[in-house]
């Protein structure tokens, strides 16, 4: 309900009254006598309708505006901004900081008289709250975010001050001192906690390679500091599923200085594994929650089985065997073909094809290759999606492909090979890492150009879905593709040259260049056996390990059956563990990428499933796991920061207090403020004036006709 109501016009008040009086006279003269004569009340009724019509036209013509003014009295509000972070769990002098926060809040709640109190909490995320709802378990402290939230939330109220109760430990967000300097009201700060540095050992970080190999020695660098234990010895442990994998005793140095220790350990299992680094607590430590950290890494297999099928023995075949002896990551099983479906090294029928993890075909299949053997090999490849590395030569017979020809990663043309030199005609087309083994791209290209010449087979051409990485040729011929890769149902790579054994044997006097081919071959095979990028759904967590309180971020792309990016897919992400199952939808963020941010997951191990569909068709499913691990940033530095709270109070015009010296009444304005809220409605800006005018005219003419007036 408005306290004041009036209409204003683009016309002086006397002018409006004059025109209204004239119109009233016109209406009176019109209805003073009627034919036929009507009773007085009927003439008055019709006259009022006609006069209202004229008045409303007059209001519209002179831009009539309805003005409503409301008087509002706002009581003074004092905001209690309470620290809800995990550092409030710390106990100083037998009193927890959380209890001190509650004590301060109760003091003001009990003594509030003319000032209204509103309670807010801050930590990771600020919010309105009640005193009984405080949990003191948030993993970060954002004082600036809390101050900003209060001023925005009460922007339309009579906010007279903010009482900030905290230990001053600020570890995320903007600079609270700068935010306080821009506060529209004074910020009064109350310090809880001890400002002296406690006796404590703090594990700061653990650094290790995110990808390790099973049964291969690895290292973890542990960084920590202490206060109050100089000269004492402490033991640092690295554990996996409760078993100690590494242990080292360290003598603590000067207080406050970082110390590092390197732990050597051997991952016992493959897959994503969680390791725990722990500093054995010392007697008298302030608290021990900051003595432990978790780290999750991916542990790869220590060896892969590669089955090598080749035609008759050749110079390149011998080079391949020599090079394979210096590749400990792979275990090679050679099958060199001879007549009658037999092989020199072993019996095909007793070979455990189901143990193969990659196939390498050198000059294979040939015209003499057994169809039954080829079928058995490709059944393994197709059913288990195993990668294949092709090294064709003059003995390769593509016509032996039979029903599997559509899977072969090359097209065969009847052309004679020519002799060309890679030294002048090599170009790395796509910046794949394995094209630059153990060197930067510039050095690698120079090395490729300097390798001995090879025999090129222009009759072998890459298919349309191949990615060509290497060309060869000379000045008189068009460059010919010699190395390419494909990704379809399974990965394949093709090196369509012969005499590449020279890359190893002719460079034995140059160890660096000799190792180049071996390293490149190792990297190609490593790429082939890596199955992660075969899935058309390449959306996964950005980090396999997330600290509690942080967002779990999923990001990646979706591909179709030809590995073309799909920009309009519907992507659903399901996350679950023993206690929950949640479904989310990832959004497209441009350039073919999809992204999802999941907040609020508690500590634990989680599984996820990413499902992508387009036009009603399922493109693929990707499953995996991630972990949310404990992280006590709040307990890394526990000394209360009086200096921060003093600066906040000084910059905002408030005052700094400690709990024992906190007054019962703060120096803020305690009287209410009166505001006037004004609202204007321009009649021409509203639509309902037109039906109102029509209604007035219609009523008048309806009754005139009904009562027989001319």
């Amino acid at each position: 309900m408005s306290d004041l109501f009036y209409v204003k016009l683009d016309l002086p008040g006397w002018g409006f009254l004059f025109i209204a009086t004239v119109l009233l006279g016109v209406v009176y003269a019109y209805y003073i006598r009627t034919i036929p004569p009507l009773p007085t009340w009927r003439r008055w009724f019709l006259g009022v309708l006609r006069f209202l019509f004229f008045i409303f036209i007059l209001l519209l013509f002179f831009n009539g505006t309805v003005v409503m003014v409301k008087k509002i009295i706002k009581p003074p509000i004092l905001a209690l901004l309470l620290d809800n972070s995990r550092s409030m769990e710390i106990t100083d002098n037998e009193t927890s900081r959380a209890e001190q926060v509650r004590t301060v809040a109760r003091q003001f709640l009990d003594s509030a008289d003319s000032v209204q109190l509103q309670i807010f909490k801050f930590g990771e995320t600020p919010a309105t709250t009640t005193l009984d709802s405080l949990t003191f378990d948030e993993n970060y402290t954002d004082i600036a975010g809390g101050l900003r939230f209060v001023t925005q939330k009460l922007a339309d109220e009579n906010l007279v001050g903010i009482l900030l109760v905290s230990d001053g430990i600020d570890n995320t967000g903007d600079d609270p001192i700068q935010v306080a300097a821009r506060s529209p009201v004074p910020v009064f700060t109350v310090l809880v906690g001890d400002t002296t540095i406690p006796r404590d050992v703090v594990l700061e970080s653990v650094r290790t390679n995110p990808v390790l190999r099973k049964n291969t020695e690895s290292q973890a660098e542990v960084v920590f500091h202490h206060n109050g234990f100089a000269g004492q010895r402490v033991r640092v442990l690295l554990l996996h599923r409760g078993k100690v994998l590494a242990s080292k005793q360290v003598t603590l140095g000067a207080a406050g200085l970082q110390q590092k220790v390197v732990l050597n350990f051997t991952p016992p299992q493959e897959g994503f594994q969680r390791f725990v680094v722990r500093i054995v607590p010392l007697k008298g430590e302030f608290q021990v929650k900051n003595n432990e950290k978790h780290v999750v890494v991916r542990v790869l297999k220590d060896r892969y089985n590669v089955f090598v099928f080749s035609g008759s023995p050749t110079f390149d075949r011998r080079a391949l065997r020599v090079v394979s002896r210096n590749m400990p990551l792979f275990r090679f099983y050679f099958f060199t073909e001879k007549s009658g479906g037999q092989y020199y090294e072993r019996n095909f029928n007793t070979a455990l094809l189901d143990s193969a993890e990659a196939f390498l075909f050198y000059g294979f299949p040939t015209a003499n290759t057994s169809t039954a053997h080829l079928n058995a090999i490709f059944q393994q490849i197709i059913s288990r999606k195993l990668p294949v590395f092709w090294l064709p030569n003059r003995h390769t017979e593509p016509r032996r492909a039979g029903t599997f020809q559509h899977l072969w990663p090359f097209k065969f043309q009847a052309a004679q090979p020519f002799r060309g030199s890679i030294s002048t005609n090599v170009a790395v087309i796509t910046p794949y890492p394995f094209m630059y083994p153990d060197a930067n791209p510039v050095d690698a290209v120079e090395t490729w150009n300097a390798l001995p010449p090879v025999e090129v087979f222009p009759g072998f051409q890459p298919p349309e879905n191949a990615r060509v990485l290497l060309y060869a040729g000379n000045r008189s011929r068009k460059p010919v593709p010699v190395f390419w890769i494909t990704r379809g149902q399974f990965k394949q790579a093709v090196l369509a040259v012969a005499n590449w054994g020279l890359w190893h044997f002719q460079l034995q006097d140059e160890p660096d260049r000799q190792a180049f081919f071996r390293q490149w071959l190792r990297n190609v095979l490593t790429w082939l056996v890596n199955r992660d990028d075969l899935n058309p759904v390449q959306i996964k967590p950005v980090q396999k390990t997330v600290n509690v309180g942080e967002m779990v971020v999923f990001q990646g792309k979706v591909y179709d059956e030809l590995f073309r990016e799909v920009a309009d897919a519907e992507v659903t992400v399901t996350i679950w563990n023993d206690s929950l199952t949640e479904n989310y939808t990832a959004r497209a963020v441009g350039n073919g990428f999809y992204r999802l941010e999941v907040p609020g997951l508690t500590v634990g191990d989680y599984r996820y499933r990413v499902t992508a569909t387009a036009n009603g068709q399922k493109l693929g499913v990707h499953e995996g796991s991630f972990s949310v691990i404990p992280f006590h940033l709040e307990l890394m530095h526990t000394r209360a920061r009086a200096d921060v709270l003093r600066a906040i109070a000084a910059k905002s015009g408030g005052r700094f207090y400690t709990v024992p010296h906190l007054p019962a009444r703060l120096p803020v304005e305690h009287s209410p403020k009166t505001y006037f809220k004004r609202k204007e409605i321009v009649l021409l800006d509203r639509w309902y004036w037109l039906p109102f005018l029509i209604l007035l005219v219609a009523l008048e003419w309806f009754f005139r006709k009904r009562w027989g007036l001319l």
Side-chain angles (χ1 to χ4, degrees):
M1 189 77 181
S2 299
D3 298 299
L4 181 63
F5 176 91
Y6 63 92
V7 178
K8 69 175 183 177
L9 301 169
D10 293 340
L11 182 72
W14 64 266
F16 177 78
L17 290 176
F18 174 77
I19 297 175
T21 302
V22 172
L23 292 175
L24 180 62
V26 171
V27 172
Y28 177 79
Y30 189 77
Y31 280 111
I32 189 64
R33 292 185 180 86
T34 59
I35 300 174
L38 293 177
T40 302
W41 73 268
R42 290 187 177 182
R43 286 184 285 116
W44 274 101
F45 176 74
L46 294 174
V48 168
L49 291 177
R50 177 67 62 89
F51 183 70
L52 288 176
F53 176 80
F54 286 152
I55 291 298
F56 204 84
I57 291 293
L58 185 64
L59 292 175
L60 293 175
F61 185 80
F62 289 105
N63 195 29
T65 302
V66 179
V67 180
M68 294 177 287
V69 181
K70 186 175 183 181
K71 182 180 179 181
I72 301 173
I73 299 176
K74 293 185 177 181
I77 295 177
L78 177 65
L80 296 184
L81 184 57
L82 308 179
D83 193 333
N84 194 49
S85 66
R86 193 174 294 275
S87 65
M88 295 298 101
E89 296 178 347
I90 298 172
T91 298
D92 305 281
N93 302 320
E94 300 183 354
T95 303
S96 72
R97 298 179 184 181
E99 186 56 38
Q100 294 181 64
V101 170
R102 290 193 178 98
T103 299
V104 172
R106 290 194 191 101
Q107 173 182 329
F108 277 85
L109 289 172
D110 294 341
S111 62
D113 44 16
S114 58
V115 176
Q116 291 188 4
L117 298 179
Q118 290 198 21
I119 302 178
F120 299 84
K121 70 179 181 70
F122 70 96
E124 298 175 51
T125 305
T128 56
T129 188
T130 62
L131 190 57
D132 294 334
S133 300
L134 295 175
T135 56
F136 306 108
D137 61 354
E138 298 191 48
N139 295 286
Y140 302 91
T141 303
D142 182 6
I143 297 178
L147 293 173
R148 194 181 291 115
F149 179 80
V150 169
T151 54
Q152 291 175 352
K153 191 76 174 178
L154 301 178
D156 296 329
E157 304 296 333
N158 183 20
L159 179 64
V160 296
I162 300 173
L163 181 63
L164 171 66
V165 187
S166 173
D167 56 12
I169 298 174
D170 181 72
N171 45 45
T172 190
D174 297 330
D175 183 357
I177 299 173
Q178 296 298 322
V179 174
R182 298 190 293 270
S183 174
V185 295
V187 180
F188 302 89
T189 58
V190 181
L191 175 71
V192 298
D194 195 342
T195 58
T196 61
I197 301 177
R199 298 180 75 234
D200 202 10
V201 179
V202 179
L203 199 166
E204 295 185 17
S205 65
V206 178
R207 303 188 186 102
T208 188
N209 196 321
V211 180
L212 307 176
R213 289 205 177 273
K214 177 184 174 184
N215 297 327
T216 302
E217 187 174 80
S218 305
Q219 291 185 335
E221 182 186 75
V222 182
V223 180
F224 59 95
H225 72 269
H226 80 94
N227 181 67
F229 294 101
Q232 296 193 34
R233 296 178 67 82
V234 67
R235 184 165 294 279
V236 185
L237 307 176
L238 188 146
L239 305 95
H240 177 258
R241 299 187 177 181
K243 181 180 178 181
V244 178
L245 299 185
S247 174
K248 185 171 289 188
Q249 198 167 42
V250 182
T251 300
L252 297 176
L257 297 181
Q258 281 189 344
Q259 288 185 249
K260 297 180 182 179
V261 60
V262 176
L263 300 177
N264 297 314
F265 68 102
T266 301
Q269 297 180 5
E270 62 185 78
F272 287 98
Q273 303 296 327
R274 176 185 293 186
F275 297 91
V276 178
V277 176
R278 179 182 302 149
I279 298 178
V280 178
L282 295 174
K283 185 178 180 179
E285 275 198 66
F286 181 62
Q287 48 92 25
V288 298
K289 288 185 177 180
N290 53 15
N291 284 40
E292 181 176 291
K293 280 193 176 295
H294 297 235
V295 59
V296 176
V297 300
R298 183 183 181 187
V299 181
L300 303 178
K301 293 188 63 171
D302 52 343
R303 297 195 79 179
Y304 295 90
N305 295 329
V306 180
F307 280 40
V308 182
F309 285 86
S310 64
S312 58
T314 64
F315 176 76
D316 287 343
R317 163 68 175 72
R318 179 168 174 264
L320 181 60
R321 178 177 285 276
V322 171
V323 170
S324 67
R325 293 171 184 160
N326 295 310
M327 298 173 63
L329 181 59
F330 301 96
R331 184 184 293 109
F332 291 86
Y333 295 89
F334 284 87
F335 295 80
T336 306
E337 193 177 54
K338 59 183 181 180
S339 60
Q342 301 297 314
Y343 302 89
Y344 286 103
E345 293 85 359
R346 50 183 52 85
N347 189 331
F348 183 87
N349 295 325
T350 60
L352 301 176
L353 291 181
D354 56 358
S355 66
E357 291 162 295
F359 285 92
L360 192 153
F361 295 155
Y362 170 66
F364 185 88
T366 68
N368 299 322
T369 299
S370 166
T371 301
H373 292 181
L374 197 60
N375 289 340
I377 293 170
F378 268 89
Q379 285 173 4
Q380 288 289 330
I381 293 172
I382 295 171
S383 63
R384 296 167 54 206
K385 298 183 178 180
L386 298 178
V388 183
F389 192 3
W390 297 80
L391 300 169
N393 63 16
R394 291 174 179 271
H395 302 289
T396 301
E397 180 49 76
R399 287 172 293 185
R400 298 290 296 168
T403 58
F404 305 112
Q405 187 170 358
H406 66 286
L407 299 174
W408 288 25
F410 48 76
K411 298 180 293 185
F412 183 80
Q413 299 175 358
Q416 294 295 324
F418 69 91
R419 193 163 187 79
S421 173
I422 283 186
S423 61
T424 58
N425 293 280
V426 168
V428 178
I429 306 304
T430 303
Y432 262 67
F434 60 66
M435 297 305 294
Y436 315 127
D438 298 334
N440 63 55
V442 175
D443 293 341
V445 171
E446 292 178 356
T447 303
W448 280 110
N449 287 322
L451 291 176
V454 292
E455 188 176 18
V456 177
F457 297 97
F460 285 89
Q461 292 294 316
E464 288 75 13
N465 64 337
R467 181 169 291 181
V468 179
L469 304 182
L470 200 64
Y471 284 88
N474 55 35
R475 296 179 180 177
S476 61
R477 293 179 181 272
K478 180 181 178 181
V480 177
V482 295
F483 178 69
W484 58 88
I485 59 175
T486 64
R487 292 192 306 179
Q489 297 182 26
F490 48 90
K491 290 182 178 180
Q492 299 189 82
V494 180
L495 179 62
V497 300
N499 297 333
W500 43 261
L502 298 174
W503 293 348
H504 177 76
F505 288 120
Q506 283 196 3
L507 301 174
Q508 295 186 66
D509 294 335
E510 301 179 53
D512 292 340
R513 291 176 61 197
Q514 182 197 24
F516 183 86
F517 175 66
R518 182 180 70 249
Q519 293 163 353
W520 174 76
L521 182 62
R522 177 201 62 197
N523 291 349
V524 173
L525 289 173
T526 302
W527 175 81
L528 285 169
V529 297
N530 175 20
R531 291 170 170 257
D532 287 351
D533 56 355
L534 263 180
N535 197 314
V537 179
Q538 289 294 310
I539 300 174
K540 59 188 69 175
V542 175
Q543 295 176 302
K544 293 294 294 185
T545 306
V546 180
N547 295 322
V548 65
E550 295 179 345
M551 293 276 192
V552 179
V553 180
F554 288 80
Q555 185 168 293
K557 295 187 176 185
V558 177
Y559 301 88
D560 61 14
E561 66 278 1
L562 297 179
F563 272 84
R564 296 173 299 192
E565 294 177 2
V566 180
D568 58 350
E570 297 179 6
V571 179
T572 302
V573 181
T574 303
I575 298 175
W576 75 93
N577 64 5
D578 294 338
S579 59
L580 67 83
T581 300
E582 298 287 347
N583 293 307
Y584 305 89
T585 300
R587 71 183 191 280
V589 294
N591 296 323
F593 280 95
Y594 295 83
R595 185 178 176 88
L596 169 67
E597 297 177 349
V598 182
L601 294 179
T602 57
V603 173
D605 297 323
Y606 294 83
R607 297 282 301 170
Y608 68 86
R609 179 186 302 110
V610 183
T611 305
T613 59
N615 300 321
Q617 299 294 320
K618 181 182 289 188
L619 298 177
V621 177
H622 173 72
E623 292 191 2
S625 62
F626 64 90
S627 297
V628 179
I629 63 175
F631 182 66
H632 304 294
L633 179 62
E634 288 288 306
L635 306 180
M636 296 291 288
H637 302 281
T638 58
R639 179 174 66 90
R641 297 292 304 276
D643 57 323
V644 174
L645 297 185
R646 287 182 189 276
I648 290 174
K651 287 287 187 180
S652 64
R655 296 182 184 178
F656 169 80
Y657 302 100
T658 58
V659 175
H661 301 92
L662 180 64
R665 187 183 178 97
L666 294 178
V668 296
E669 179 63 50
H670 285 70
S671 59
K673 285 189 176 182
T674 302
Y675 300 86
F676 292 95
K677 186 176 181 180
R678 177 188 177 99
K679 183 178 181 181
E680 294 187 355
I681 301 176
V682 179
L683 296 179
L684 281 174
D685 292 341
R686 299 295 188 268
W687 59 269
Y688 42 73
W689 61 266
L690 180 61
F692 181 71
L693 289 177
I694 295 174
L695 177 64
L696 290 175
V697 173
L699 284 173
E700 181 184 0
W701 286 100
F702 172 78
F703 286 108
R704 284 179 63 88
K705 292 296 183 182
R706 184 176 180 85
W707 294 334
L709 292 180
L710 297 177

